Amino acid sequence: MVVHGTPRIYEIAGPSDWAKLVDTYPLAVPASRRSVWYDTTGEFRDWFIPDWVSVADDYDAVHLTMMAYLTTPGIAIPLSANSGATVLAGWNPDTTFWLRSNNITLDGDPTG
């Protein structure tokens, strides 16, 4: 993969960065899925994740640092702008999720 230009990347370096992303672009987790995070955290809350479509309006990618991977997943992270919490789950260490493909090519072919 080759990155072109200067993509807009949101960096997650710890729990507060994840909370800020979710607070800025909140998407409520359906009630049917809330039990999954209750089983993980032992807390019954209104849960939120990022609305990735809205995040993509402002960022090309989201990067999770190694430190964030070690300190953030699996814990209930309170939100300040929304009444509820969030949990970071399903990420690997030092991972970048590309939300828009206008800045990358794979094997010389533009993605899209």
Side-chain angles (χ1 to χ4, degrees), residues 13-83:
S16 63
D17 294 326
W18 179 253
K20 182 179 176 186
L21 182 70
V22 175
D23 263 335
T24 304
Y25 308 96
L27 180 65
V29 173
S32 63
R33 301 296 302 154
R34 291 182 188 160
S35 64
V36 173
W37 286 351
Y38 172 80
D39 292 343
T40 300
T41 66
E43 297 186 31
F44 183 77
R45 304 237 192 152
D46 289 331
W47 297 104
F48 292 84
I49 59 173
D51 176 353
W52 294 113
V53 172
S54 296
V55 175
D57 288 339
D58 295 325
Y59 294 98
D60 300 310
V62 176
H63 177 250
L64 182 75
T65 67
M66 178 63 78
M67 183 56 72
Y69 176 79
L70 295 173
T71 60
T72 308
I75 61 171
I77 303 168
L79 300 173
S80 58
N82 295 282
S83 65

Side-chain angles (χ1 to χ4, degrees), residues 86-104:
T86 186
V87 172
L88 178 85
W91 290 65
N92 292 321
D94 196 28
T95 298
T96 301
F97 281 117
W98 289 91
L99 306 171
R100 298 167 49 100
S101 60
N102 56 322
N103 292 90
I104 59 176

Side-chain angles (χ1 to χ4, degrees), residues 8-20:
R8 302 164 301 159
I9 300 176
Y10 184 88
E11 184 94 350
I12 302 167
S16 63
D17 294 326
W18 179 253
K20 182 179 176 186

